[in-house]
């Protein structure tokens, strides 16, 4: 969206310093990287993961910088306050783009041959629609199954409201896979696959059972080189799911988010 793009603004990390290392050009002139992506945690931050995957899919040469957990935008992402905040944020040639959908549209214009959006106008409209639904919906899934690439909870019990979101997501997948004949949602890999990739990781984390159409699709997403690289880098940990072990996990997560809420001085209405 136009509101999510500004020109001439330099990108800074949580400490206020310009993000990314300084590089020497061939004439000895000091230059900054052409593109920098500011993100929060790729283990917990689903929107940061989407922005990172989109840049990878587009083939963009970029430097990655992690915004401090003390930064308000990072806290907003981790607390699931909104899908629209200032991380991830892409800085490219003097242009700053935030909000994941805005980044996807910008990358599609910058790298049209990458195919982030289908060439067919009907498919393109549908791709934008299902990506937008992911962008603005499924709040029950987000709250009940928080993203955590490292964790594994076999046999996890799914809350009924979260199951409704799961059913809608898998319905979208089946419809797209049938219409466009796979292997990805719109045939070739697209921004829609990047938008739903963090959902796939949630399904793996919480052992969500998928039907014979959706399960192979989820495996294809997890087998993507960039996703595999990320999962390995985050160090996925096998966990069992006894009540006591899951309670310990909930206590750890509650303590983490409680600290973030206290630091951010966030007030909740009764």
């Amino acid at each position: 969206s136009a509101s999510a793009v500004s020109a001439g603004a330099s990108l800074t990390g949580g400490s206020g310093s310009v993000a990314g290392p300084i590089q020497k050009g061939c004439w000895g002139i000091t230059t900054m990287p052409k593109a920098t992506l500011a993100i929060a945690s790729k283990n917990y931050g689903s929107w940061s993961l989407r922005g990172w995957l989109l840049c990878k899919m587009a083939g963009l040469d970029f430097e990655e910088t992690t915004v401090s957990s003390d930064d308000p935008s990072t806290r907003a992402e981790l607390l699931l306050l909104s899908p629209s905040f200032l991380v991830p944020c892409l800085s490219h040639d003097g242009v700053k783009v935030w909000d994941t959908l805005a980044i996807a549209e910008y990358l599609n214009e910058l790298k049209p041959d990458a195919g982030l959006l289908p060439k067919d106008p009907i498919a393109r409209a549908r791709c934008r629609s299902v990506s937008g639904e992911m962008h603005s919906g499924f709040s029950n899934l987000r709250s009940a199954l928080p993203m955590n690439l490292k964790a594994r909870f076999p046999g996890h019990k799914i809350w009924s409201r979260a199951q409704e979101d799961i059913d809608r997501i898998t319905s979208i997948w089946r419809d797209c896979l049938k219409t466009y004949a796979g292997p990805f949602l719109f045939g070739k890999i697209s921004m829609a696959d990047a938008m739903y990739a963090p959902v796939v990781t949630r399904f793996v984390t919480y052992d969500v059972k998928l039907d014979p159409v959706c399960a192979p699709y989820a495996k294809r997403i997890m087998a993507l080189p960039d996703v595999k690289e990320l999962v390995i880098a985050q160090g996925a940990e096998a966990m069992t799911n006894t009540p006591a072990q899951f309670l310990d996990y909930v206590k750890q997560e509650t303590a983490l988010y409680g600290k973030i809420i206290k630091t951010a001085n966030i007030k909740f209405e009764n």
Side-chain angles (χ1 to χ4, degrees), residues 11 14 26 29 36-37 43 56 131 135 139 144 172 205 235 245 253:
L11 178 63
C26 60
I29 300 172
T36 304
L37 181 70
N43 184 66
K56 289 282 192 176
S131 297
H135 187 266
S139 59
I172 291 171
T205 295
Q245 288 168 322
E253 295 297 286

Side-chain angles (χ1 to χ4, degrees), residues 155-171:
H156 182 70
K157 183 175 176 57
I158 306 298
W159 179 41
S160 60
R161 297 296 294 274
Q163 186 62 52
E164 292 175 7
D165 282 353
I166 292 170
D167 292 343
R168 172 57 187 157
I169 288 168
T170 54
S171 175

Side-chain angles (χ1 to χ4, degrees), residues 80 136-145 159 165:
L80 313 175
S136 60
F138 309 120
S139 59
N140 291 320
L141 174 73
R142 300 180 203 278
S143 59
L145 306 178
W159 179 41
D165 282 353

